[in-house]
Amino acid sequence: MFYTLTANPAVDMTVSCPPLVPNENIRSFSASYTANGKGLDVSFALKKFGVDSVALGFFAGFTGKYVVDETMNMGCLCRPVWIDGVTRINSYFNDGQSEHGILNPGPAITPQNEQELFRILDSTGDLDCLIVSGSLPPKASKDFLDKVVAHAQDRGADVVLDLSSDKLKTLCSTHPLLIKPNHHEMREIFGVQIDTDDDARRALALAHEAGVQNVLLTMGSRGSAYFSNGEDIWYAKREFNIKLVSSVCAGDCTLAAFLLKWYKDRDNVEESLKLAMATGANVAESVGLGDFGHVDEYSKRVTVRKLPR
Ligand SMILES: O=P(O)(O)OC[C@@]1(O)O[C@H](CO)[C@@H](O)[C@@H]1O
């Protein structure tokens, strides 16, 4: 069973509006409020593909209750740790030209909250793979993520990391099964600006040297991605344009779709990348996750090539 951990979930408020004007109020065209957070998005996307997972995380207040209720309404399993405060609301604005995001810090966690999460991890009987995604809440212990990884690995589980923090670099030495940085994160962590295949080769090699088994490197709005298993590197590109509505959950759903195929069949990189790119593209065409209605069609319009060794 896949488990996802979202230490800092959110209600996403996605607003479509005219251009922002300094010192003036503007009226938006529409706003929607969705239960989100990076690991939760992975659970939701897996569910849309018919695969169950268990969503773990820290939740608080009326927004936390909303996120947990929505998670269960979607048919996802959820084992929340309830904490004090209010789960954050993140705001995303699309003014027709640009996307703007304001991400809040979220409610603080305590050492007791962390212990409760570790107890949940230790009591899982069916944990095959833990996907740890997103930022950490305020006051998280410095070694919180090290401990999360250790608890999962003690149970014999694989660990997948999609972390925005620089902690990713130190966690590479725990030999995670897969990491999913985007090109900005890769530059921040390994110091390589990725514009060419050779840049990607250098960055991916550094990740493997640091201890990572596999890397899915997404290139954001360029509509491409690299995957490396330490021996070979594949490059995937979507050969179609999309009408961007909100790119916010696209990366999480790209990861979910990739794992869905690749986790059980590690030789099937090409098809896994096609499904991943198609899913990410389709998600960016709607608010939240959308209905995945074009995923099959888009999969046929993604090209994948293996880079020469
Ligand atoms: O602050 P984090 O945890 O890095 O990111 C949070 C977040 O931006 O990630 C999701 C999209 O990936 C959104 O649903 C959510 O608001």
Side-chain angles (χ1 to χ4, degrees):
M1 176 80 95
F2 287 118
Y3 277 62
T4 61
L5 170 60
T6 313
N8 204 3
V11 171
D12 284 355
M13 179 179 77
T14 310
V15 175
S16 160
C17 59
L20 305 180
V21 183
N23 306 319
E24 268 189 35
N25 292 334
I26 54 162
R27 294 211 178 257
S28 68
F29 304 130
S30 66
S32 59
Y33 308 88
T34 46
N36 288 107
K38 286 191 160 61
L40 285 154
D41 293 342
V42 171
S43 280
F44 301 156
L46 287 172
K47 189 70 198 177
K48 281 175 184 280
F49 285 116
V51 171
D52 282 330
S53 63
V54 182
L56 307 178
F58 301 108
F59 301 87
F62 72 103
T63 41
K65 184 174 178 321
Y66 174 72
V67 176
V68 169
D69 286 349
E70 285 291 291
T71 301
M72 301 212 270
N73 288 343
M74 279 186 244
C76 293
L77 306 164
C78 184
R79 292 184 68 182
V81 174
W82 291 105
I83 64 174
D84 289 340
V86 175
T87 287
R88 64 190 170 149
I89 298 177
N90 288 340
S91 316
Y92 297 96
F93 303 89
N94 187 333
D95 65 9
Q97 286 167 354
S98 313
E99 291 185 288
H100 310 266
I102 302 176
L103 281 68
N104 292 319
I109 56 171
T110 64
Q112 291 73 28
N113 299 148
E114 294 178 5
Q115 288 305 326
E116 195 178 332
L117 180 83
F118 300 147
R119 275 195 294 277
I120 292 178
L121 276 174
D122 293 345
S123 68
T124 55
D126 54 359
L127 174 62
D128 296 316
C129 179
L130 177 68
I131 300 143
V132 185
S133 299
S135 63
L136 288 184
K139 300 264 165 67
S141 305
K142 282 208 162 30
D143 59 356
F144 170 66
L145 285 173
D146 306 78
K147 286 187 175 158
V148 165
V149 171
H151 279 265
Q153 291 182 336
D154 282 353
R155 301 199 70 73
D158 294 313
V159 173
V160 172
L161 301 174
D162 179 11
L163 305 173
S164 4
S165 74
D166 51 7
K167 187 74 191 166
L168 180 59
K169 190 160 188 183
T170 50
L171 287 173
C172 288
S173 63
T174 64
H175 307 297
L177 175 68
L178 177 74
I179 62 170
K180 191 213 75 69
N182 60 32
H183 54 306
H184 300 300
E185 290 158 348
M186 206 68 174
R187 189 187 53 220
E188 272 157 35
I189 296 167
F190 295 106
V192 183
Q193 164 75 31
I194 301 167
D195 293 315
T196 64
D197 288 350
D198 281 342
D199 298 335
R201 274 181 210 282
R202 272 190 296 133
L204 292 164
L206 289 172
H208 290 301
E209 269 167 38
V212 175
Q213 299 180 55
N214 299 278
V215 187
L216 176 62
L217 164 61
T218 53
M219 303 295 291
S221 57
R222 298 186 205 177
S224 58
Y226 292 90
F227 172 75
S228 170
N229 62 8
E231 287 181 5
D232 286 302
I233 299 173
W234 288 257
Y235 174 74
K237 171 122 186 63
R238 67 169 153 78
E239 305 294 345
F240 55 92
N241 292 324
I242 56 167
K243 189 168 178 331
L244 178 72
V245 173
S246 167
S247 61
V248 174
C249 302
D252 311 330
C253 297
T254 302
L255 173 61
F258 184 80
L259 279 174
L260 176 82
K261 264 213 183 318
W262 174 81
Y263 189 71
K264 289 220 168 69
D265 184 4
R266 308 276 164 99
D267 294 329
N268 201 353
V269 174
E270 194 168 324
E271 290 307 312
S272 309
L273 279 171
K274 285 183 177 175
L275 186 70
M277 300 300 295
T279 305
N282 198 185
V283 167
E285 292 180 311
S286 54
V287 167
L289 271 65
D291 65 4
F292 287 29
H294 293 292
V295 169
D296 287 345
E297 176 203 332
Y298 287 175
S299 297
K300 298 182 193 120
R301 294 159 65 194
V302 175
T303 53
V304 179
R305 63 179 164 83
K306 210 188 230 187
L307 302 194
R309 277 196 184 175

